[in-house]
Amino acid sequence: MYVIEIAGLRKTYRAKGRRDRAVVAVDGVDLSVAEGDVFGVLGQSGAGKSTLLRCVNMLERPDEGTVKVGGVDLTALDRRGLREARHGIGMIHQHFALLSSRTVAGNVAFALEVTGVPRNERRERVAELLELVGLGGRADAYPSQLSGGQKQRVGIARALAARPKVLLSDEATSALDPETTDSILRLLLDLNQRLNLTILLITHEMNVVKRICRSAAVMRDGRFVESGAITDLLDRPDSELARGLFPLDAPTSLDGHTVVDVTVSGDGADAPLLAEVARRFDIDVRIMAGSVEQLAATRAGRFRLAVPAGDDAPLNYLSERGARIGRPTAPSPIEIQGAAS
């Protein structure tokens, strides 16, 4: 079952008073996010990610296309219907967007006040949410007294106040240090599993996709370059995202050798495949670069190998054992970005 369904989405911004000058921010995007999935949209600044996210909850109304959340076509709703539909969509922001004059509890309660939830019920729900995000003892603190990670936890609690089934994340970790980022990602993954929460997030950080996303899309110039489940993309030798998850900074040639990129996932990631090849064919296998890591949905690795030229049998054996073999290519923008993240 798809909780978010987007078809033919297009959004153009025109310069005021200059209809001949326009920027196409989102250009014909199709997207389906399954219930309980964590879907990441990865791209560099200006790719159209934020506009796409804002179209999902109609903070930006698209020029063309449809947006369905929970089976409801948001593009067909009037203002009142849209307000009601947004109760099922929570959103967390890059820079927290907290009210400085309110306490932690007051910020979380605000989302319930605007929907008319009674005071006693609000108090119980706020206490429950603060415990859920690890801030049970900070209810009376003000935003100025919190660290960046604590502020983001308040933002997450506020986004969950109305019990949404969909959570949108707008670069939620980009303003945080690496250690705090890891803690927030662990929290989001825990909430996803505990609440069966469907999460759509945008990010320019490969580490975010690597840590918690089961599905992802690469966005460039307002379009999806590729999208799908991480496990499926790992099976595609031409996948930019698969290469970006495991960037290889190594030579692409070596005299007297055939150089290939090898991707493994699942049980194959921990199998002694390279040792098996070396023993079976009595050859030296050079590992020029590579790593094995735990992703959200599977364990996977990618290596750049050099084997003696003139014999395809070792590579055929690796392929038969489930490894994906590809020729080394020049780094793509997403690989460079992944190496820097």
Side-chain angles (χ1 to χ4, degrees):
M1 174 182 174
Y2 292 117
V3 175
I4 301 174
E5 297 174 274
I6 296 173
L9 196 70
R10 185 179 176 87
K11 177 65 179 180
T12 301
Y13 295 103
R14 291 178 172 81
K16 190 173 182 180
R18 291 290 304 275
R19 296 185 60 84
D20 59 324
R21 297 188 63 181
V23 175
V24 180
V26 179
D27 190 6
V29 165
D30 298 324
L31 170 65
S32 298
V33 182
E35 182 179 10
D37 198 2
V38 181
F39 195 109
V41 179
L42 179 72
Q44 297 175 325
S45 178
K49 309 184 304 297
S50 292
T51 300
L52 171 64
L53 199 72
R54 289 171 64 85
C55 284
V56 173
N57 60 7
M58 292 291 111
L59 291 177
E60 295 280 359
R61 186 167 286 274
D63 301 317
E64 299 176 16
T66 58
V67 177
K68 293 183 179 180
V69 178
V72 177
D73 184 357
L74 303 188
T75 56
L77 297 178
D78 59 18
R79 185 173 299 180
R80 179 177 179 180
L82 191 54
R83 281 200 304 269
E84 294 177 358
R86 283 186 180 133
H87 294 164
I89 306 172
M91 187 163 180
I92 53 179
H93 304 269
Q94 178 179 4
H95 296 296
F96 321 128
L98 302 181
L99 299 172
S100 60
S101 60
R102 282 183 171 238
T103 63
V104 165
N107 269 279
V108 178
F110 181 74
L112 299 171
E113 291 173 19
V114 297
T115 57
V117 175
R119 180 179 302 228
N120 288 341
E121 187 176 337
R122 288 202 308 266
R123 187 180 299 113
E124 292 177 5
R125 179 62 176 156
V126 168
E128 174 188 345
L129 287 165
L130 292 181
E131 288 294 335
L132 187 63
V133 301
L135 291 177
R138 302 292 282 167
D140 295 328
Y142 285 88
S144 61
Q145 300 171 305
L146 304 178
S147 67
Q150 290 173 327
K151 290 177 183 178
Q152 194 56 281
R153 288 172 183 266
V154 177
I156 293 171
R158 180 184 56 194
L160 297 176
R163 305 181 191 275
K165 296 301 292 180
V166 171
L167 182 64
L168 307 180
S169 171
D170 184 6
E171 298 274 14
T173 60
S174 63
L176 305 176
D177 62 77
E179 184 177 350
T180 305
T181 291
D182 284 345
S183 72
I184 294 299
L185 294 179
R186 287 195 300 269
L187 174 60
L188 290 176
L189 194 57
D190 178 64
L191 294 172
N192 161 255
Q193 296 168 349
R194 189 183 303 189
L195 305 177
N196 193 32
L197 190 65
T198 302
I199 301 177
L200 174 62
L201 61 87
I202 64 169
T203 183
H204 66 274
E205 300 174 276
M206 184 63 71
N207 182 56
V208 173
V209 175
K210 186 179 291 187
R211 289 290 308 277
I212 69 170
C213 294
R214 299 187 189 92
S215 305
V218 178
M219 194 170 191
R220 186 176 302 131
D221 297 328
R223 298 182 179 184
F224 281 177
V225 176
E226 64 181 18
S227 66
I230 298 291
T231 51
D232 292 338
L233 294 175
L234 287 170
D235 283 333
R236 289 174 41 185
D238 63 337
S239 169
E240 281 194 40
L241 190 135
R243 298 200 306 268
L245 288 169
F246 300 94
L248 300 177
D249 182 15
T252 59
S253 63
L254 184 65
D255 289 345
H257 290 75
T258 299
V259 178
V260 296
D261 289 347
V262 177
T263 304
V264 290
S265 60
D267 294 338
D270 293 313
L273 294 180
L274 303 186
E276 289 178 17
V277 168
R279 288 195 301 266
R280 177 180 286 263
F281 298 97
D282 192 24
I283 61 172
D284 291 328
V285 179
R286 299 193 185 188
I287 302 176
M288 305 173 73
S291 65
V292 175
E293 297 189 45
Q294 181 65 49
L295 307 181
T298 189
R299 191 161 171 79
R302 184 168 173 245
F303 303 90
R304 183 156 293 167
L305 304 180
V307 298
D311 185 2
D312 291 336
L315 300 181
N316 291 337
Y317 177 78
L318 284 173
S319 183
E320 291 168 2
R321 294 296 306 276
R324 273 76 68 198
I325 312 295
R327 297 298 177 186
T329 58
S332 68
I334 195 173
E335 285 185 270
I336 297 170
Q337 174 186 329
S341 295

